[in-house]
Every structure is written in C-alpha cells, then in structure tokens.
Amino acid sequence: MQATGNLTLGNYLGALKNWVSLSDEYECFYSVVDLHSITVRQDPSELRRRARSLLILYIAAGLDPEQNCIYYQSHVSAHAELAWILDCFTYMGELQRMTQFKDKSAKHADNINAGLFTYPVLMAADILLYQADVVPVGIDQMQHLEITRDIALRFNNIYGDVFTIPEAYIGKSGAKIMSLQDPSKKMSKSDENPNGSIYLMDDPDTIIRKCKRAVTDSEAQVLYREEQPGVHNLIDIYCACTDKTPDEVVKEFDGRGYGDFKTAVGEQIVSVLKPLQARVKELEADRGYIDSIIKNNAEKANYTAQKTLRKVQKKVGFPEKIR
C-alpha cells in the first residue's frame, strides 16, 4: 500500500484483514511502497509521517512483524535496481494499455511523469524480487499482476527459470468495498467527498454518521440485488464485519427500515475498528519497538531481495562484484 492518504475500511476489509491469515501458510513480505508514492508530488515530512503510520497500521491489524517481513520499499535498493532491468524487458505498448496510467494521468494532468508510466514495472519488481507464489490483490490490481506475469515469463523464456510466476490471491469477502456516496466507485483514500469513505482511525460518532448518510434508494427494503447498489454495498460491509452471508443479513433485517440497517452497519464497523485503533495508539507510544522492526525487517528484506537481484544481474551479463 502507498504511504499517501488515510487507509479506509475498504483497504482493511479488502486487503489487510485477508493478509493476516496468509502468514499461517506462507512466508510473507509486506511493503510500505513509498517509491510508488512519489509519482505524485508529496510533502517530504508528511510522506515520512504517513509511511510510519502505515507500517504501524500493518502491525495493529494483526500482521506479526516477527512472522511477516514488514518494511519500507525505499530501504531496499533492489526494488529500483530490478525495476530498471525489467524496464528493458517491457514494451511501450504494454504500458500504454494500463488503465491506471490513463486514470492517474487524467487526475494529474500537470504531472504526467515517466515514473507514472513505468509504475507497473516497479510493481513487477516488488513482486518478483521475493519469488512470490501468490500476491494478495484487489480486482482493480489484476492488470498489474498480469503484466508482472508477462514480464517474468518473457525473462524466463530468454534466460531460463529465474522468476517464480505469481498467482493472484483475492479474499472471498470484502474484496471490493464501494464508496458510501457513490456505490459505482471503490471506496478510496483520495475520495474528494469525505462522507464516501470510512477511515480506519475515524471515531465512532463519525463512522455512525457516515453510515447514516450512505446512499441507498427509495425501495426501503434490505435486499441483496444489483439494482440496489447502495444497499448491496452496505450488506457487503456488514458481511465482512460479521462473517455472515448476504442471505442471513437479508433475513435479519426483513421488515426493518434503512435507518435501523445503516445504524447496525455502523455499529459493526465500530466494533471491528475499536481494537485496531487501540493497538495503533499503543504502538505509536513505543518508538523504540517500531524503530527496531524497521531496522530488522529492512535487513531481512534486503537479504532476500539481493539473492534474486544477483541472479538476474548474472543472467543479463553484469560483471560480478569483487567481495
């Protein structure tokens, strides 16, 4: 995740919550992608603050930094080094087809930089450096994973079995939480309407108020139908917070109005975020512990990443370093 903006409920239910269970089965690397963040102009002190806050949120959400490697992307130079090599194995036409480049170019027309264009190659390096078997992605990131696979296959076809070809991991529920004000769009950190997104550090009153203001319709029935996108989205959120099925939620609120339903959704969100928010405050107060995690996990990430980078450098013909 990028160290920009405030993480939303969608980031948590669609990604962070699913990541925790993966560590039982896989060796996991989770990066705060601050290199990606600077494709848009950032205030330096604010970027550093947000990067630290995001790393703390990873841990507060349940990612054990002893079991998972949680690190800053910028602390592992191999990300940028491999990205340059992969740039030379990626075609302009592939990058021109990336929908995120088109979307971000439209939003930042005054700063359409080369980094924004080659962003997917850096993302490919993020993945391939660690020989990832699976990548937890949202539906909107599938195109990035596909180009990663294409680049890796192209490199392997030339130089042999160098990169693991990664597969997607998408959570069964909460994979795409939509805006409370415009359910045709994903809940986003950058939503200009503050009522559209619930942020992980929102207080209970704010969460309840945003849920009460959520867009629904005039049908006044809690039904899980595409024709009722606002209600559909609220049911998805409720299910993700309670582990209930949509059918169970529809039965629970049969004959009850939207007011009761929206309040119940808000209360469930509050109950889910309360322990996370408490843990964040604990971690923010323990600066020495967080600093040790940053140092130790950067060393672990560097060790793993360098093994892949040295293999790639040898394959393309770079002279070996004298040690």
Side-chain angles (χ1 to χ4, degrees), residues 247-268:
D247 286 344
E248 288 172 334
V249 177
V250 169
K251 289 178 182 177
E252 181 179 347
F253 291 94
D254 183 31
R256 298 167 64 181
Y258 287 161
D260 285 350
F261 177 52
K262 290 179 179 181
T263 299
V265 172
E267 289 172 347
Q268 288 297 333

Side-chain angles (χ1 to χ4, degrees), residues 66-77:
E66 302 296 331
Q67 190 176 5
N68 303 276
C69 186
I70 304 170
Y71 66 100
Y72 294 137
Q73 183 189 30
S74 62
H75 286 190
V76 182
S77 62

